Amino acid sequence: MSTLRGFAALLLVVAVLPSTALAAEQGAQWPGFRGPTQSPEGVFPQGDFGLSVEWKRSLGSGYSSFAVAGDRVITQFTDGDADVLAAFRDGDGGELWRYRIDNKYAGHDGSDDGPLATPTVAGDRVITLGANGQLVAVSLADGSELWRVELDEESSNVPFYGYTASPLVTDGLVILTTGGDGRAVTAFDLETGAVRWSQGDDTVTYQTPILAELDGRRQLVAVTDQWAFGMVPDDGEILWRFRHSEGDERQTSAHPTVLDDRHILVTVGDGSLALEVSGGGTQVKEAWRSRAFGNALVLPVVHDGHIYGFTGRILTCADAATGEIRWRSRGASAFNLSLVDGHLVILSRGEGEAVVVEANPEEYVEKARLPLFDRGDYADAAYADGRFFVRNLTHMASFRVDRGAAPGIAQAAADPNRIRGSLGALVKEIEGMPKAQRQAKVDAFFEGRSLPLVETTEGGAGLAHIVHRGEVEDVAVSGVFLGRDGGQVTLHRVDGTDLFYRSFELDPGGQWEYQLSIDYGQAGPDPANPFPEVDEGFGRFSELRMPQWTPSPHLEAPAAGEPRGTLDSFQFTSEILENTRRIQVWMPPGYGGDARYPVLVMNHGDRAVRGGLMVNVLDNVVGQSVAPVLVVFVPRAHGPEYGGDRAADYTRFLTEELLPHVDRHYRTLPEPRGIMGPGSGATASILGAMQAPGTFQRVAAQSFYVVEEMREPLFGMIAAADSRPEMVYIEQSRNDYVIPANGIDAGRDSKDLAEALRKQGFRVVEDSVGGAAGWSSWRGQTHRLLEALFPAEAGEG
C-alpha cells in the first residue's frame, strides 16, 4: 500500500470472495469474509443490463465488509467516539441495533479511523474482532453481548494497523490467526469464547484462515507471515507446512485461496504461488509461481479454471493450472473484489462506482457501471436476495440489477494534453509520416536529451512530458499530480515507434515525484531519469523538476577533505510510550572539547536521514549559514503519536525521557531548543511546542495539516497559550497535500495555523515554495528552515 501511502499506505486486507471459508450449515446468505461457499447464480441476465440504487445512507469510517443474514446487513465502523458493530435492514438501510466494541481505533500512517475485520454470522450469533483485539459474540436478533475475549501481547501479535483477521466459524469453534510461539492460530469455543487449542509458530498480521477439502481431506488452511499450514480443525494438529517467504522477509498480507480440490493459491508481496496438496491431504509442494496478484490489497477469485484479481492496480486474469497471465486491464482499479454469478463486482477506487465485469478468460468485458460514492475503498460488495451492498469510509448503499437502466459503461476520455508543446509537435509530425520512417525521427529527436522533458509554453504554462522508450507492451505513470489516490494512467504509444509518452500541464515552478510501471510490473523509479531516486520509506520515486524549480545546492555530499559531522545512534526504550526505537544523533564537525550545542529534534527522523538527505544538508550548512547544532533524529513508532491519542504522551516522551538522556550523554545546551518535521511530523512539532513551550523555543513545520479530530484541541491550545516559543516557521507548497476524502488540505491548514498563532502574539515566519509534499521537495528547503531556527549570526556553541 504505497501512497500517502498510502498514504503508501498502506495497507489493509479485508477482501471477500466465495470459497470454503465458512461451514455451509450456518445458513446466512453472505456469512462474512469471502462470502458463501457457492457463488450465487441467476443474478445477471443475458444481454445488456444496468444497475440502480435502492438506498444510500451515511456510515462512519471503517474497513470492515459485510455479513448478510435474513433481513440484516452487518458491518463494523466508528461513530466518531467508539468502534461499533451494527445491523441494518436490507430493504431500506435502517439501523436495527448497534454494539459498542471499544473506543475508536484512530487511523495512522496513512490508514483511516475505525475497525478492520469483517464480522461472521454463525447461526443466531455474530462474531467479530475489534481493531484493539476484542473478540466478541453478540445476538443476531438484538446485538446483546454473549461473550467477550480480549486479545493482547500475551495472547497474540498486536498488528501495527490493528487487529484485522476475520473470524472463521466451524464445528463449534471460532478460529483466528493470532501469532506467536505455539499460537500462530487459536481456536475459541463458539458458545463461551474459551480457548480450545493453539498451534503453530510464527508471527501474523492481517491474514484470515479458510476451510478447504484438499486431496480428500477437510482441513484448515492458515497463512502466517512466513508459512502456510494445513491443520486439523478439531485440535489444530499440523498436517503440513510450507515456507512461502525466506530469511527476514515477511508477507503481512499473504492469504490462501482455493483453486481446486488439490491446489491453493498464496498471494505474497510480488506475486503468488500455487501449492499442491497430496498424500491424502498431508503433503505439500510448490506447483507454480506467477507475477500475477502480488502487490495488491485484495484477494483473487476463481471461476471456471481461471483466477481473477488485482496485480497492484491492474485487474488480471490467469490460468489456474499454470499461473500464465491471460489478460490485464486498468478498466476497474480497486482494492476490493467479489465473485457473483460468473461476474466480478467491484467498487472502483478513485470514482466510487460499482462496476460489473464478466469473468471472461479471453478479455476484459465490462457489463455495467453505476456512480455511488465520491470514492471507493477496501470493503467488498456483498450480495443477498437480489441486492448488492457496498460501502466506503463515509457511506453505505444498496443497488440491484436493472434491466431497464442503461449499462453506463465507461468510455475512454480524450486527453486534452496529447498534442501539446515541443513533444506534441513531434508526435503530430510523426503521425503524418510513413511508418517505416517514424523510428528514425524519434531516435534523432531524443539523441542527447534528458528525460523527462519539461518546458514552459509561450503562455507561461508548465508542461511535463513523461517519456519511456522500449519494446514493451504497456507503460503507466503514477504520481501525486494525478490525485492523492495515487492512481495510474497509461502512456500513449506512438504507432510504429518505441516511444511512449504522456503530457501534463503543471506549475512551472513546481516539483513532484512519480513512478513508472512497465509491462504491468510494480511501479518504481523512471530508469531514464538522471536525478537521484527519492526514498519515501514506502517506495522509491523519481523527481519531476519543472523548468522554474530551483533545486537546493546542499543535497550532495561535501567534497573530499571538507569537514563533516558524525552520525551516532542508540536504541531507546520509552516507559511512557511502552516501545523502543533507534535514535540517531548528528554531531557537528569539531564536536567535543568544552563546546556545548543547542539541540534540534527532527520528527520522522529516520525518513529525514534516508529520504531527506539531512546528513548532507547539515554537513554543508552547519558552520556556514547555520550555527553548530546537535540534531536528534526521532522516528515515529506508532501513528497516534503524531496527532492521535498518544500525542501528549509523545511530547512527554521527548521532554521527560529522551532529551534528558541526550543531555546526559552529549554536550548540549539547555536552550535554545527546536523541533521540526514534515506532514504528520509537522503536527507533532506544533503540538510539542504548544505542550512544552519551555522546552522548545523554536519550531518549524513543512506541509502542516491537521486531522479533523485534532483541529479543535490544537487550536484550543493556541488560543489558551500563556507562554509561547520564540518563533514558528511554517513552510507550505503551492502543490501541497489535498485529500478531500480525509478532509486534509495542507495549504488551508497552514494558513489557519499562521493566523491563529499571530492572533495570540506568536512570531510567525511563513514560506511558500513551488514543490509538492514529499521528501524530494522538503529536503530542497531544509537549509532555509535550519537557517531560520539557528542562524549562524546567533552565535556558535
Side-chain angles (χ1 to χ4, degrees):
M1 55 185 147
S2 296
T3 53
L4 174 62
R5 243 155 185 11
F7 305 21
L10 311 129
L11 321 107
L12 303 170
V13 181
V14 286
V16 175
L17 73 161
S19 77
T20 52
L22 295 158
E25 65 268 20
Q26 290 173 350
Q29 300 100 310
W30 197 275
F33 189 69
R34 299 175 179 254
T37 303
Q38 298 296 324
S39 172
E41 297 180 352
V43 177
F44 298 102
Q46 296 293 319
D48 293 339
F49 59 86
L51 307 171
S52 61
V53 178
E54 280 218 312
W55 53 260
K56 182 177 176 180
R57 61 161 293 147
S58 61
L59 192 72
S61 179
Y63 293 98
S64 301
S65 190
F66 305 96
V68 185
D71 64 348
R72 291 156 199 268
V73 183
I74 304 144
T75 190
Q76 294 191 100
F77 60 95
T78 180
D79 64 11
D81 296 317
D83 287 351
V84 300
L85 172 70
F88 304 89
R89 277 191 302 270
D90 63 347
D92 60 10
E95 184 173 321
L96 296 169
W97 54 256
R98 72 171 58 187
Y99 169 83
R100 187 184 190 280
I101 299 170
D102 195 19
N103 294 335
K104 177 187 72 176
Y105 184 84
H108 57 91
D109 295 75
S111 71
D112 291 279
D113 295 343
L116 304 101
T118 299
T120 300
V121 173
D124 62 355
R125 60 189 59 201
V126 182
I127 317 295
T128 200
L129 180 65
N132 289 310
Q134 297 80 19
L135 178 63
V136 299
V138 305
S139 166
L140 174 63
D142 59 12
S144 58
E145 182 179 306
L146 302 174
W147 53 259
R148 182 181 181 101
V149 174
E150 302 280 345
L151 301 182
D152 55 25
E153 293 180 350
E154 298 298 319
S155 58
S156 64
N157 292 143
V158 181
F160 183 72
Y161 285 108
Y163 290 88
T164 308
S166 298
L168 168 65
V169 179
T170 182
D171 299 332
L173 299 175
V174 177
I175 303 176
L176 286 177
T177 48
T178 47
D181 293 338
R183 50 179 167 79
V185 183
T186 301
F188 303 84
D189 190 283
L190 176 60
E191 295 298 321
T192 67
V195 173
R196 293 271 292 271
W197 57 258
S198 293
Q199 279 281 19
D201 301 323
D202 197 12
T203 56
V204 304
T205 37
Y206 313 115
Q207 305 93 345
T208 291
I210 62 173
L211 289 175
E213 189 88 16
L214 296 173
D215 201 32
R217 182 160 191 167
R218 182 174 178 269
Q219 55 190 271
L220 174 73
V221 179
V223 174
T224 59
D225 289 351
Q226 292 190 307
W227 293 87
F229 296 93
M231 296 177 166
V232 176
D234 292 344
D235 58 11
E237 177 191 352
I238 296 176
L239 301 172
W240 55 263
R241 67 177 191 167
F242 184 93
R243 186 162 190 163
H244 59 73
S245 298
E246 298 297 330
D248 293 331
E249 183 180 12
R250 297 185 181 277
Q251 303 297 340
T252 61
S253 295
H255 283 268
T257 299
V258 176
L259 297 180
D260 56 34
D261 60 1
R262 291 189 62 180
H263 296 86
I264 59 171
L265 184 76
V266 177
T267 55
V268 290
D270 58 356
S272 57
L273 67 146
L275 301 180
E276 181 179 351
V277 178
S278 59
T282 63
Q283 300 174 13
V284 66
K285 66 178 182 180
E286 181 178 317
W288 50 258
R289 285 185 182 256
S290 173
R291 287 177 52 202
F293 315 119
N295 190 31
L297 300 179
V298 59
L299 292 176
V301 299
V302 181
H303 180 69
D304 285 349
H306 291 86
I307 311 167
Y308 300 86
F310 286 92
T311 305
R313 290 177 175 267
I314 310 301
L315 186 60
T316 303
C317 172
D319 190 309
T322 64
E324 179 183 358
I325 294 174
R326 297 293 302 271
W327 56 257
R328 293 174 283 202
S329 173
R330 289 190 177 85
S333 177
F335 288 160
N336 55 80
L337 176 64
S338 299
L339 177 67
V340 177
D341 187 27
H343 290 72
L344 313 176
V345 182
I346 297 163
L347 184 66
S348 64
R349 170 67 172 167
E351 302 82 9
E353 295 178 316
V355 183
V356 177
V357 177
E358 190 177 280
N360 184 331
E362 301 302 322
E363 59 183 337
Y364 175 88
V365 179
E366 187 172 313
K367 300 294 291 185
R369 185 178 286 248
L370 174 69
L372 285 171
F373 308 129
D374 60 354
R375 58 172 284 183
D377 223 275
Y378 297 87
D380 309 271
Y383 173 83
D385 296 334
R387 296 185 178 96
F388 293 88
F389 304 96
V390 292
R391 65 167 291 188
N392 65 3
L393 294 172
T394 59
H395 289 84
M396 172 182 175
S398 172
F399 68 91
R400 64 168 58 245
V401 174
D402 186 344
R403 290 175 179 268
I409 297 172
Q411 303 296 323
D415 179 4
N417 295 309
R418 193 181 79 84
I419 304 294
R420 290 195 64 186
S422 58
L423 186 60
L426 172 71
V427 171
K428 186 175 182 179
E429 180 182 357
I430 290 175
E431 290 179 341
M433 297 171 60
K435 286 188 178 181
Q437 301 174 16
R438 294 182 177 184
Q439 186 62 51
K441 184 70 176 180
V442 170
D443 292 341
F445 180 86
F446 283 100
E447 185 175 0
R449 291 181 186 262
S450 179
L451 299 178
L453 301 177
V454 296
E455 60 182 304
T456 304
T457 67
E458 291 183 1
L463 286 178
H465 308 289
I466 306 297
V467 173
H468 181 79
R469 295 185 62 196
E471 293 302 323
V472 298
E473 178 185 348
D474 177 272
V475 184
V477 60
S478 56
V480 170
F481 48 84
L482 296 173
R484 282 291 167 184
D485 282 330
Q488 292 183 343
V489 295
T490 306
L491 303 192
H492 302 295
R493 172 75 179 266
V494 180
D495 194 26
T497 76
D498 66 357
L499 173 61
F500 293 79
Y501 79 98
R502 191 140 190 150
S503 302
F504 302 91
E505 182 174 329
L506 300 171
D507 178 356
Q511 183 269 3
W512 286 265
E513 297 166 8
Y514 71 99
Q515 293 179 312
L516 292 183
S517 172
I518 299 170
D519 273 346
Y520 300 97
Q522 184 169 345
D526 180 351
N529 189 310
F531 300 124
E533 296 173 6
V534 184
D535 185 347
E536 282 285 355
F538 54 84
R540 303 188 74 86
F541 293 73
S542 289
E543 287 189 70
L544 172 57
R545 298 179 179 178
M546 295 301 287
Q548 298 171 26
W549 168 257
T550 303
S552 169
H554 307 304
L555 299 180
E556 299 292 332
E562 292 294 318
R564 302 198 64 172
T566 303
L567 190 66
D568 193 15
S569 69
F570 57 88
Q571 290 287 109
F572 189 83
T573 299
S574 166
E575 294 183 2
I576 294 173
L577 293 171
E578 299 179 309
N579 56 34
T580 299
R581 70 195 80 202
R582 176 161 292 279
I583 307 295
Q584 297 180 85
V585 178
W586 185 86
M587 297 166 287
Y591 175 84
D594 295 330
R596 291 189 175 273
Y597 304 88
V599 175
L600 172 64
V601 171
M602 179 76 197
N603 289 315
H604 279 311
D606 54 338
R607 294 186 179 185
V609 171
R610 186 175 59 243
L613 304 178
M614 274 286 286
V615 171
N616 285 352
V617 175
L618 292 166
D619 285 343
N620 282 308
V621 302
V622 171
Q624 302 297 321
S625 58
V626 176
V629 62
L630 200 76
V631 182
V632 182
F633 295 102
V634 185
R636 178 177 59 181
H638 192 41
E641 296 174 352
Y642 284 14
D645 58 10
R646 302 304 304 273
D649 289 337
Y650 180 73
T651 299
R652 289 182 54 223
F653 149 71
L654 293 177
T655 59
E656 298 176 20
E657 295 181 321
L658 180 60
L659 287 176
H661 176 91
V662 171
D663 289 337
R664 289 192 298 271
H665 292 85
Y666 296 88
R667 304 189 62 79
T668 64
L669 289 172
E671 59 179 63
R673 292 195 165 176
I675 185 170
M676 66 176 288
S680 59
T683 307
S685 299
I686 298 295
L687 283 168
M690 293 301 104
Q691 293 163 342
T695 300
F696 300 112
Q697 293 82 36
R698 303 170 186 181
V699 57
Q702 294 175 289
S703 297
F704 168 83
Y705 67 84
V706 58
V707 294
E708 193 59 37
E709 58 265 31
M710 283 303 301
R711 177 175 290 273
E712 184 175 345
L714 174 58
F715 284 91
M717 287 182 207
I718 294 172
D722 54 8
S723 61
R724 55 186 60 88
E726 298 171 7
M727 184 261 285
V728 180
Y729 189 104
I730 303 172
E731 176 198 290
Q732 66 174 98
S733 300
R734 292 197 300 270
N735 312 287
D736 224 324
Y737 285 125
V738 179
I739 313 175
N742 294 346
I744 289 174
D745 185 330
R748 175 203 65 198
D749 291 349
S750 294
K751 288 183 173 64
D752 289 349
L753 175 65
E755 181 180 348
L757 291 169
R758 284 201 178 96
K759 186 177 180 180
Q760 294 303 118
F762 286 73
R763 179 189 169 210
V764 179
V765 177
E766 289 186 88
D767 193 8
S768 179
V769 298
W775 281 110
S776 60
S777 178
W778 294 329
R779 71 193 187 190
Q781 318 303 322
T782 308
H783 64 289
R784 294 152 66 122
L785 276 72
L786 295 170
E787 290 163 0
L789 294 179
F790 297 97
E793 61 267 24
E796 300 184 1

